[in-house]
Amino acid sequence: MGSASPESGTEQVQEIDVSDPAQSAPHSLTSAAGESQQRIRAVLDDATAVPRETAPAPFDVPRETDPLAMDARVLPGDVSRETEDDDLPIAIEARRAVQVLNPGHNTFPRPAKRRVMCVANQKGGVGKTTTTVNLAVALALHGSRVMVIDLDPQGNASTGLSVDHRAGVPSTYDVLVDGIPLAEATVAVDGVPNLYCVPATIDLAGAEIELVSVVARENRLRRAIDAFPADIDYIFIDCPPSLGLLTVNALVAAREVLIPIQCEYYALEGLGQLLRNVELVKAHLNNDVQITTILLTMYDGRTKLADQVAAEVRGHFGDTVLEAVIPRSVRVSEAPGFGQSVITYDPGSRGSTSYLQAAREIAERGAAVPGH
């Protein structure tokens, strides 16, 4: 056996070769994060045509916690931020549920005149329908009279409100193509006072082709809404994931555009096309329409990407972005399977209270703007 080296038995400090990628993983991760943020910023610069030099600090929220900064108006009391959605103490969850379901009939500020909001984003799966349904239910439970117009042939908003949308029932198809009054297709939503829905049937899938030869086809929905006699505070129009004639009808009918943006990179691609279409409609068909609200959805606090997207969207769109953020939640996904909104399905969940906070912000912002 050979003799031991002089260094044997002593603790050695290993030198790291920074040229070796395997030994410089932290640096690589930092570079990758920087590249990701640059790509996010670049796609938003392109969408808005307004480049940003610096990004705001990301949410100061620990990865494992609720991204909502728990508005005390939604949930009174000192609640730990570390509380998980599926591990809430019963008393806390019950208190949240009471706030959401509003048995005391507390009201949000009501607008001075009807607000017509188009919920649009040509990217599928970003939460358009979920946002439409839950904002509508939250506002209706807090004193507003609300209508949901389902303009998506899939009829998911109708499903979420448990409204019959089988082929043959009066629907948005009949309003657009046959010109029936909106009131004839409007039904009350069971279990939620002051909430109404105009359902969509599969017939709506062919409406764009059938409307091609119709004069002023872009104004069909607007004329129907203008002729609707009932006292309604909010009309939410749930658009299909496209920028076709149905979405153009919604943009022409609306005064406001609400854009849900999923906190992921793919959700940002194509945003510029939507913004340009809104400007085209504003220039040629509806001078009153404007983007008033952006809502960040499907926020996953465990990922750095969600923080980057949220920070860049806020940096580009400023106060248009609601403070409320919708977390990725199993409860939100489960609710439509029971024909309910998450507000009524699990009122104590984070998804429910976050949509309630978003609804409150929309109501308060509208009340603060003259003419709303």
Side-chain angles (χ1 to χ4, degrees):
M1 178 178 294
S3 60
S5 65
E7 293 84 2
S8 178
T10 63
E11 184 176 356
Q12 300 295 308
V13 178
Q14 181 182 5
E15 293 186 4
I16 296 177
D17 181 3
V18 296
S19 65
D20 181 1
Q23 298 188 54
S24 58
H27 175 73
S28 299
L29 290 175
T30 302
S31 298
E35 180 181 354
S36 173
Q37 185 136 4
Q38 288 175 0
R39 288 174 63 85
I40 292 168
R41 186 174 301 173
V43 74
L44 284 169
D45 285 346
D46 181 63
T48 60
V50 180
R52 293 191 67 249
E53 297 300 328
T54 58
F59 291 147
D60 185 18
V61 180
R63 287 282 182 266
E64 70 277 7
T65 61
D66 189 338
L68 295 179
M70 290 297 187
D71 191 325
R73 296 171 300 177
V74 177
L75 175 58
D78 185 14
V79 181
S80 169
R81 294 290 182 80
E82 286 73 30
T83 302
E84 291 291 338
D85 189 29
D86 294 329
D87 194 31
L88 288 168
I90 293 176
I92 293 176
E93 187 164 353
R95 192 157 65 245
R96 296 172 78 171
V98 168
Q99 289 289 319
V100 172
L101 294 178
N102 193 28
H105 304 292
N106 299 316
T107 60
F108 292 162
R110 294 177 63 183
K113 66 176 184 179
R114 181 187 296 171
R115 296 178 66 181
V116 183
M117 305 186 75
C118 165
V119 184
N121 191 328
Q122 78 271 25
K123 173 72 171 65
V126 299
K128 289 188 300 297
T129 298
T130 301
T131 294
T132 300
V133 167
N134 286 290
L135 289 179
V137 171
L139 288 165
L141 287 174
H142 287 77
S144 296
R145 293 173 59 85
V146 187
M147 173 187 286
V148 172
I149 298 178
D150 193 349
L151 211 59
D152 188 343
Q154 298 176 87
N156 290 336
S158 306
T159 298
L161 294 172
S162 197
V163 171
D164 185 11
H165 60 104
R166 294 171 296 176
V169 304
S171 67
T172 48
Y173 170 84
D174 302 288
V175 173
L176 293 176
V177 176
D178 296 332
I180 72 168
L182 195 62
E184 292 185 14
T186 302
V187 296
V189 175
D190 290 337
V192 184
N194 299 322
L195 179 58
Y196 306 89
C197 178
V198 183
T201 65
I202 193 61
D203 297 330
L204 193 60
E208 294 197 4
I209 297 175
E210 296 183 55
L211 289 172
V212 167
S213 60
V214 175
V215 176
R217 56 187 178 272
E218 302 89 354
N219 291 290
R220 304 282 284 187
L221 183 59
R222 178 169 186 164
R223 289 204 302 269
I225 290 174
D226 289 345
F228 187 72
D231 180 20
I232 294 290
D233 296 311
Y234 295 90
I235 295 179
F236 289 96
I237 308 172
D238 184 37
C239 295
S242 69
L243 294 176
L245 187 54
L246 293 177
T247 300
V248 171
N249 256 272
L251 291 173
V252 172
R255 301 300 182 270
E256 304 178 54
V257 179
L258 188 160
I259 305 176
I261 297 181
Q262 182 182 4
C263 292
E264 294 185 5
Y265 180 80
Y266 281 147
L268 304 178
E269 293 191 323
L271 182 60
Q273 187 180 359
L274 172 61
L275 301 181
R276 286 188 289 273
N277 276 32
V278 172
E279 288 304 313
L280 284 173
V281 170
K282 183 179 179 67
H284 301 286
L285 298 169
N286 178 13
N287 189 53
D288 297 326
V289 70
Q290 57 183 329
I291 298 171
T292 61
T293 310
I294 291 176
L295 177 62
L296 295 166
T297 63
M298 301 183 188
Y299 177 91
D300 188 343
R302 298 169 298 180
T303 68
K304 182 67 176 177
L305 176 62
D307 278 347
Q308 290 176 339
V309 171
E312 289 297 334
V313 169
R314 291 186 187 280
H316 279 79
F317 295 100
D319 292 340
T320 303
V321 186
L322 295 180
E323 290 297 323
V325 179
I326 310 302
R328 188 176 290 279
S329 168
V330 173
R331 300 292 188 269
V332 173
S333 302
E334 287 176 346
F338 295 87
Q340 296 185 53
S341 66
V342 72
I343 300 286
T344 54
Y345 173 68
D346 190 355
S349 68
R350 287 187 302 167
S352 181
T353 53
S354 61
Y355 271 117
L356 177 63
Q357 184 180 346
R360 184 194 299 275
E361 281 190 70
I362 288 172
E364 291 178 348
R365 289 184 179 195
V369 177
H372 276 176

